[in-house]
Amino acid sequence: MARIAFIGLGNMGGGMASNLVRAGHDVSAFDLSEAALAKAEANGCQRAGSAAEAIADAEAVITMLPAGKHVRDVYEASVIGRAPTAAILIDCSTIDVATAREEIGKAEAAGYQMVDAPVSGGIAAAEGGTLTFMVGGSDAAFERARSYLEQMGKAVIHAGGPGAGQAAKICNNMLLGASMIATCETFAMAQKLGLDLQTFFDISSKASGQNWSMTTYCPVPGVGPTTPADRDYEGGFASALMLKDLRLAMEAAQSVDAYTPMGAHAEELYARFAEHLGGGAKDFSAIIRMIDDSWTRP
């Protein structure tokens, strides 16, 4: 059993912290949201009054925060120089590569080992302990972080040095966003051509057009396995978060002069759906409703 500080108890962090409790760890949790703190406490975490209080005597500090500015604020104000230097620092937020590298550099200069370890899998995987972690950091830091991450996920992969986890995450989600749009376009066209959508799914899921957005996360209600489409696109991975990741991908692409026209178009379409049409709270597969012109603004 280890003493773990967990900072950031939103839809993802709350489930992750609960899995660490179930694994037998002593988890001191903090979030600015009273509701999130109460839920974490009900799931066995110990409530902390501040980030600084949570990290006292911690053997591991795990963060799951909204954006790079929040990661910078928490680590520089409350973690680096305040947590025991023997603690392993693990940031599971999805942020820009530059901030991840900067904060790991500052942590290492202060005597800590730290990794960036963004996740893939969504809320259900966070609660079920089946996330995939893409980890950036030194070999030594990765080995220390691995045991904690394995108790929250099904796959823990060392992507490379500092920032490599974030690079892998935004590349993966750029591909996911673009493939979901293509999948939605295809189903909308198939319907207009008079194809039965379940029959089309049965064909394409076994043919060369097969992809994860179709076979595992089908955007059409009643077709394929159960997905957020069967719950009116509630739960899952919000379109606003997909847009955030696509914007991070475009920022990264610009920084290295990478040509990403499909990624740029995916960002444009998700911006239209999430921000201009009010679909940000719906699952990212709900963009099919914009594509087939059935979307009604909330």
Side-chain angles (χ1 to χ4, degrees):
M1 182 180 78
R3 297 185 301 277
I4 300 174
F6 204 109
I7 303 168
L9 303 167
N11 289 331
M12 298 293 291
M16 293 163 67
S18 297
N19 280 316
L20 291 170
V21 171
R22 285 193 282 273
H25 297 296
D26 182 1
V27 180
S28 180
F30 176 71
D31 194 282
L32 293 175
S33 165
E34 171 59 32
L37 271 173
K39 184 176 180 180
E41 191 173 27
N43 287 331
C45 296
Q46 297 178 17
R47 175 193 293 252
S50 66
E53 180 182 329
I55 67 169
D57 300 322
E59 297 170 67
V61 176
I62 302 175
T63 49
M64 187 57 142
L65 301 165
K69 63 180 181 179
H70 305 105
V71 171
R72 184 181 297 108
D73 288 348
V74 167
Y75 276 87
E76 296 187 12
S78 302
V79 179
I80 297 174
R82 292 168 178 80
T85 54
I88 178 67
L89 310 183
I90 304 170
D91 180 42
C92 295
S93 317
T94 296
I95 62 173
D96 59 287
V97 175
T99 298
R101 289 175 176 166
E102 179 183 353
E103 294 309 307
I104 291 177
K106 290 179 179 179
E108 289 177 343
Y112 297 91
Q113 290 182 325
M114 180 176 176
V115 298
D116 57 293
V119 307
S120 178
I123 297 171
E127 293 176 348
T130 58
L131 293 167
T132 294
F133 290 90
M134 296 151 267
V135 189
S138 69
D139 291 344
F142 171 73
E143 288 304 325
R144 289 192 60 202
R146 186 209 295 264
S147 62
Y148 299 107
L149 298 175
E150 286 177 341
Q151 290 167 342
M152 298 182 286
K154 65 178 181 180
V156 179
I157 302 167
H158 192 193
Q166 300 296 346
K169 172 65 184 287
I170 61 177
C171 287
N172 179 78
N173 278 25
M174 183 177 75
L175 178 59
L176 175 60
S179 67
M180 177 56 77
I181 290 168
T183 299
C184 292
E185 288 180 349
T186 301
F187 272 106
M189 185 172 75
Q191 186 168 41
K192 288 186 176 183
L193 289 170
L195 290 170
D196 174 77
L197 294 187
Q198 180 64 55
T199 300
F200 173 67
F201 172 90
D202 293 341
I203 293 168
S204 194
S205 63
K206 297 176 179 63
S208 56
Q210 185 275 335
N211 65 84
W212 187 90
S213 293
M214 174 182 287
T215 57
T216 301
Y217 215 86
C218 187
V220 180
V223 175
T226 301
T227 67
D230 298 299
R231 303 187 296 271
D232 192 29
Y233 302 97
E234 296 292 338
F237 185 55
S239 294
L241 294 178
M242 174 55 79
L243 176 58
K244 169 197 164 186
D245 288 359
L246 288 168
R247 284 176 169 161
L248 288 172
M250 292 305 97
E251 178 184 326
Q254 185 176 17
S255 74
V256 295
D257 195 27
Y259 181 49
T260 56
M262 294 294 290
H265 193 46
E267 180 201 6
E268 175 192 349
L269 292 173
Y270 272 103
R272 185 185 306 170
F273 179 62
E275 295 181 338
H276 301 301
L277 296 179
K282 291 289 188 178
D283 182 75
F284 79 108
S285 61
I287 200 168
I288 193 172
R289 302 282 301 280
M290 181 183 81
I291 290 168
D292 68 11
D293 204 30
S294 64
W295 175 252
T296 301
R297 187 184 181 98

